[in-house]
Amino acid sequence: MSELEFFGHIIDNAEVDSLDGGRFDVWNPWTREIWAQAAEGSAADADRAIASARTAFDEGDWPRLGRVERAKAIHRLADLMERRTDDLARYDTVNMGKPFEQAKHDVARSVRNFRFFADHQRDNVGEVYPMDSGHHAYSEFGPAGVVAAISPWNFPLMMASWKIAPAIAWGNTCIIKPSEDTPASVTLLGRLGAEAGLPPGVLNVLNGHGAPAGASLTGDDRVDRVTFTGSSTTGKYVMASAATHLAPVSLELGGKGANLVFADADLDNAVYWAVEAIFRNAGQICLAGSRLFVQDEIYDEFMARFKAAAEALTIGDPFDPATRFSCLASRRHFEKVASYVDAAEALGGKIHTGGV
């Protein structure tokens, strides 16, 4: 085995190992090989990340910078992300099997997220409220404090950017814990934040598992806001943990998306988007069209077209430009999806094509 890449924590703009030296393996689901190791965050590592973010907020320049200056710094980060598009995309492809062309699309969207929120906070205005003569009342939006963000594995960079960008743009400091399955691109983002000149402590990356790393973040009373994307089961624990110190929580949890196709639909268009809805990113999307309701009159024709379109998808190496559907993100996830297929058959469902 060649020398493995290493992804440490980013704390105070420095990449560091865990205090106890703990590490975990990072797998390539396409080759089924270990390709890297990442620092395994402990409660002590979470403590120093929180302390870094807390000091940066309470004593540092970032929340007190003018909005224009914050916007400039975030645009510098976005510039670096654009220059490192291939590297960021490659990490998401190697880490979770996302086709490389789709991963590059995700990087571009992540860049736009940072640019949007940089400009949004710069140009946003409050409101003036009607008052009796001699009084003046207005609203002003300012930073809240330290934000703990926990992002998922299906869009490693992009989902993290949706959390980090608004947090830091508005003057907060942030600790992002990426999924233990996909730490690479977010760690590189942390490195780029330091290179872009974000002050130490503004963007910290804590690698590790939900316990103890994630739980240590959500339950700490030095954290002012918590945002989590993941399963509904874990979301309940996140909310309960944050409730111990009354931190407001933003949750994006599991869901079941549905597509409805009526008899007057443009079938070519309906089939195209039904295929995109369930097969893009190998179906690993929280709003995937995992249920499909088709009107009786067109059911047979629609299903024939849908089956043909699914079979025409190019499946294979995520770095092959022709690939539209690659592997699932982990063996654990594959076994979970396979169990659903087995359950469908057991309940009387019919497999039209493919199978496990």
Side-chain angles (χ1 to χ4, degrees):
M1 182 184 296
S2 59
E3 185 175 351
L4 299 177
E5 291 195 52
F6 175 66
F7 298 96
H9 312 296
I10 308 296
I11 299 175
D12 267 343
N13 280 2
E15 186 162 0
V16 296
D17 211 332
S18 296
L19 289 170
D20 62 6
R23 296 186 178 190
F24 62 92
D25 293 331
V26 183
W27 289 78
N28 178 332
W30 172 251
T31 65
R32 304 181 191 179
E33 295 175 336
I34 298 169
W35 71 280
Q37 286 194 320
E40 177 69 84
S42 65
D45 296 307
D47 178 77
R48 59 176 174 163
I50 295 168
S52 170
R54 188 78 259 169
T55 299
F57 184 82
D58 292 340
E59 303 174 16
D61 294 333
W62 188 250
R64 298 159 187 84
L65 277 181
R67 294 185 179 195
V68 172
E69 290 305 310
R70 275 206 307 267
K72 288 178 179 177
I74 294 170
H75 278 295
R76 287 198 301 270
L77 173 57
D79 291 342
L80 290 175
M81 293 171 67
E82 283 188 324
R83 290 204 286 271
R84 299 290 296 274
T85 290
D86 283 357
D87 293 328
L88 288 163
R90 178 176 64 84
Y91 278 155
D92 276 0
T93 296
V94 173
N95 232 177
M96 57 116 5
K98 185 188 295 285
F100 186 57
E101 294 305 311
Q102 294 179 25
K104 288 197 289 186
H105 175 266
D106 290 355
V107 176
R109 287 190 63 181
S110 301
V111 169
R112 290 198 296 272
N113 287 340
F114 279 100
R115 295 201 190 283
F116 171 85
F117 284 106
D119 294 342
H120 181 262
Q121 65 84 31
R122 182 195 61 201
D123 300 332
N124 194 270
V125 296
E127 295 179 320
V128 176
Y129 303 105
M131 295 291 290
D132 290 337
S133 177
H135 298 278
H136 181 63
Y138 63 93
S139 63
E140 183 178 47
F141 299 100
V146 174
V147 176
I150 302 174
S151 56
W153 48 263
N154 56 340
F155 289 86
L157 180 68
M158 189 170 71
M159 294 300 294
S161 74
W162 281 350
K163 297 178 182 303
I164 298 167
I168 67 172
W170 284 92
N172 302 287
T173 59
C174 183
I175 307 151
I176 178 79
K177 194 203 83 66
S179 167
E180 62 272 16
D181 289 328
T182 53
S185 61
V186 177
T187 303
L188 176 54
L189 178 63
R191 296 168 184 166
L192 296 179
E195 186 178 340
L198 297 181
V202 170
L203 175 56
N204 299 281
V205 179
L206 179 69
N207 284 309
H209 289 72
S216 297
L217 293 179
T218 59
D220 195 298
D221 62 8
R222 293 171 293 173
V223 170
D224 300 292
R225 299 288 186 272
V226 175
T227 171
F228 168 79
T229 298
S231 73
S232 299
T233 299
T234 305
K236 294 175 183 178
Y237 289 108
V238 169
M239 177 172 281
S241 179
T244 62
H245 55 107
L246 300 178
V249 180
S250 168
L251 300 175
E252 182 186 7
L253 307 178
K256 299 289 286 183
N259 282 13
L260 281 72
V261 184
F262 295 101
D264 60 351
D266 177 336
L267 286 191
D268 288 336
N269 188 52
V271 168
Y272 173 83
W273 284 110
V275 167
E276 282 290 299
I278 192 56
F279 293 122
R280 188 170 182 85
N281 202 39
Q284 301 166 125
I285 304 176
C286 55
L287 45 71
S290 52
R291 295 180 295 162
L292 183 57
F293 297 95
V294 182
Q295 196 163 346
D296 287 343
E297 295 93 312
I298 59 168
Y299 179 84
D300 290 338
E301 182 180 359
F302 181 91
M303 287 304 299
R305 294 192 192 192
F306 185 82
K307 177 176 178 288
E311 292 176 340
L313 291 172
T314 303
I315 301 172
D317 186 337
F319 283 104
D320 183 339
T323 295
R324 291 187 61 201
F325 189 120
S326 190
C327 57
L328 294 177
S330 67
R331 181 72 192 183
R332 181 178 68 253
H333 189 55
F334 170 81
E335 291 172 352
K336 184 178 182 180
V337 173
S339 74
Y340 296 152
V341 176
D342 294 339
E345 285 194 289
L347 293 170
K350 178 182 177 181
I351 295 180
H352 288 265
T353 187
V356 179

